[in-house]
Amino acid sequence: MAGARESIHGQWSSRWMFILAATGSAVGLGNIWRFPYVTGENGGGAFVLIYLLCVAAVGIPIMMGETLIGRRGRQSPINAMRALALEEGLSANWRFLGWLGVVAGFIILSFYSVVAGWSVAYVFYVGGGAFAGTDATASAALFESFTGSALRVIGWHSLFMVMTGIIVARGVSGGLEQAVKWLMPALFVLLLVVVGYAMSTGDFGAAVNYLFAPDFSEVTGESVLAALGQAFFSLSLGMGAIMIYGSYLPAATSIPRTIGLVAVCDTGVAMLAGLAIFPIVFGFGLEPGSGPGLVFVTLTIAFGHMPFGQLFGALFFVLLSVAALTSAISILEPVVAWLVESFKWSRAKASSASALSAWVLGVGSALSFNEWADLQLVGKTFFDWCEFLSTTVMLPLGGLLVAIFVGWRMSQRSTMEELGVSDGFFYRVWRVLVQVIAPIGVLLIFGNALVIFLKDVGVLD
Ligand code: PHE
């Protein structure tokens, strides 16, 4: 029954447009900013291996599940979940899965926009020569003095949020498709340039060793949870972004092939980012676990020394900002689509109202690096809490429910029809993954982390 419904918001003009948009959503700060620094905080190789396992066994099957729900429901996640649940004879309460996504989306967008704002600011710092001939200490000092200024960080955060709101207000295909077509490949090429530079001047051997030689003594329940959260964050899962993009997918497109390609691109970019950053970390004696500033401190050292570094550096941060923008719009889109469907608001009104709300929350994250830096709850700032709760808790939880819905609650006939496959090897594997592996994986990882937490706070010993 694929294509029985139509989305009131429009449709991608082709399968390729979906691939570009979904890749635009997946590839962003998660790959270039978050992946390297979370890897650094969790000790390297073993974390990377677990991350790759999470992507393959949990992420990709759930991504197909989200896309098929979106395309079959052809509405915002809240309304699509409700419509499909009723169609399958289930409780309309499944719509709360959509709600969980909306809340997670707000939180993610709020801190995402703050970090994206740093990237926009760095276009000007790097382009203006602030890092010419810099070293590790000077580069770290500049990052700290920049993020130490509440006014500046809030200013760039505001600019980024306004851009996100404007693009979403203009709708699915107005300009966005065009931008993604050129800018994503350009980012990829520039990343290769930085990897080339890091290979020739940094400690490439140490980096490869760090990233790909697993040392399991570093693995804890928390790092496995972090790997799972990172897989969801990077693939844009668990909050309805891929679901809403799936709702604009033409009926005849093969979901498995399309999603496979998106996931491979996303993972490839994360690995490249690691290979660009860690040679510099080790070559310049930096600390891999130094936190959210990692990319901003390391890459700027490379740009400060390579020929045409000012130009390449500025270009790199332009592209990173664009990659962040194509992700941010996918975080805002599910909420806006829902407001338009349910309250008949115009897209302009819906996107200004929701961008403004996320902006307010983001101010808290912006202040976490300066005025509120000491305001901590069990060692985490407001920013850390937003990141932790949304990425590590809410996204895997949303994903778990998606897996249960497509694996256990929807009829086999519906899922097979929507995936466009017959009851063969591929379908069986997918079903085992969403029915058993993904839910058990998420639950085990959650359970384990809970035990560690209870031990930490002294409830268990
Ligand atoms: N996947 C995006 C990134 O890696 C972030 C994102 C998370 C986008 C959740 C949509 C939903 O930057």
Side-chain angles (χ1 to χ4, degrees):
M1 212 170 43
R5 291 196 180 87
E6 274 188 36
S7 168
I8 60 165
H9 310 287
Q11 190 173 327
W12 304 112
S13 48
S14 70
R15 163 177 185 250
W16 277 104
M17 283 309 169
F18 172 78
I19 293 178
L20 286 171
T23 309
S25 167
V27 174
L29 296 173
N31 311 59
I32 294 168
W33 161 71
R34 198 171 191 278
F35 173 73
Y37 103 73
V38 178
T39 300
E41 284 180 340
N42 288 284
F47 174 86
V48 175
L49 190 69
I50 298 168
Y51 168 73
L52 292 174
L53 273 176
C54 289
V55 168
V58 180
I60 296 178
I62 291 183
M63 201 172 191
M64 293 179 188
E66 270 200 35
T67 315
L68 85 82
I69 294 177
R71 184 166 71 184
R72 209 172 176 79
R74 292 260 187 240
Q75 293 161 72
S76 69
I78 296 176
N79 292 332
M81 282 308 303
R82 191 171 167 278
L84 283 198
L86 293 177
E87 191 175 284
E88 301 277 332
L90 309 166
S91 154
N93 284 336
W94 276 100
R95 71 179 184 284
F96 288 110
L97 171 55
W99 275 107
L100 177 72
V102 167
V103 176
F106 264 113
I107 305 179
I108 292 177
L109 185 59
S110 73
F111 71 78
Y112 202 85
S113 165
V114 171
V115 179
W118 300 349
S119 174
V120 182
Y122 265 55
V123 172
F124 298 94
Y125 283 124
V126 179
F131 291 94
T134 193
D135 57 21
T137 325
S139 179
L142 202 145
F143 177 75
E144 264 160 41
S145 89
F146 164 64
T147 50
S149 155
L151 210 61
R152 279 194 211 165
V153 177
I154 293 175
W156 292 107
H157 159 54
S158 313
L159 177 71
F160 186 83
M161 194 64 92
V162 168
M163 292 195 295
T164 307
I166 290 178
I167 297 184
V168 174
R170 296 176 71 98
V172 177
S173 49
L176 171 67
E177 294 188 343
Q178 300 309 317
V180 184
K181 188 152 66 183
W182 298 105
L183 296 167
M184 300 312 286
L187 178 70
F188 192 75
V189 171
L190 216 62
L191 206 52
L192 285 177
V193 171
V194 192
V195 173
Y197 176 83
M199 235 165 159
S200 60
T201 54
D203 193 341
F204 199 67
V208 170
N209 200 31
Y210 182 76
L211 283 172
F212 301 114
D215 170 4
F216 286 97
S217 67
E218 297 269 0
V219 177
T220 63
E222 277 143 330
S223 60
V224 180
L225 183 62
L228 182 75
Q230 174 61 21
F232 277 91
F233 188 83
S234 194
L235 293 171
S236 303
L237 297 181
M239 54 130 312
I242 290 298
M243 208 184 277
I244 192 81
Y245 276 12
S247 78
Y248 308 143
L249 185 63
T253 303
S254 154
I255 291 179
R257 259 187 268 159
T258 315
I259 290 302
L261 189 59
V262 174
V264 166
C265 290
D266 185 63
T267 310
V269 174
M271 295 302 129
L272 275 183
L275 290 175
I277 285 153
F278 286 105
I280 303 172
V281 169
F282 295 115
F284 287 82
L286 286 154
E287 180 43 54
S290 61
L294 188 68
V295 178
F296 293 90
V297 173
T298 51
L299 290 189
T300 44
I301 299 179
F303 293 127
H305 291 270
M306 66 166 77
F308 304 108
Q310 225 162 299
L311 179 70
F312 279 158
L315 202 60
F316 178 85
F317 282 105
V318 168
L319 295 173
L320 181 58
S321 308
V322 173
L325 199 55
T326 57
S327 300
I329 56 179
S330 76
I331 310 177
L332 194 55
E333 179 68 21
V335 188
V336 170
W338 175 69
L339 290 171
V340 170
E341 282 163 14
S342 304
F343 302 102
K344 309 277 175 285
W345 283 13
S346 68
R347 283 190 72 91
K349 180 172 168 191
S351 63
S352 351
S354 36
L356 184 68
S357 324
W359 179 86
V360 172
L361 200 59
V363 170
S365 283
L367 294 177
S368 300
F369 294 87
N370 36 69
E371 313 297 326
W372 289 2
D374 295 325
L375 193 75
Q376 298 189 357
L377 193 66
V378 283
K380 283 186 177 12
T381 60
F382 184 81
F383 172 90
D384 297 332
W385 273 110
C386 286
E387 208 197 351
F388 174 77
L389 281 181
S390 58
T391 305
T392 315
V393 180
M394 298 169 86
L395 297 188
L397 197 64
L400 171 70
L401 293 172
V402 167
I404 293 175
F405 187 77
V406 296
W408 294 99
R409 309 305 290 147
M410 273 178 87
S411 73
Q412 287 203 44
R413 194 184 50 80
S414 307
T415 49
M416 231 185 288
E417 192 176 77
E418 204 58 50
L419 287 174
V421 293
S422 52
D423 190 7
F425 179 71
F426 170 83
Y427 184 72
R428 299 261 168 95
V429 172
W430 176 78
R431 227 170 125 76
V432 170
L433 291 173
V434 289
Q435 278 193 315
V436 186
I437 308 294
I440 291 187
V442 174
L443 286 175
L444 277 181
I445 296 170
F446 267 153
N448 192 355
L450 186 67
V451 170
I452 295 179
F453 174 75
L454 294 178
K455 279 186 182 160
D456 274 357
V457 296
V459 177
L460 289 177
D461 51 25

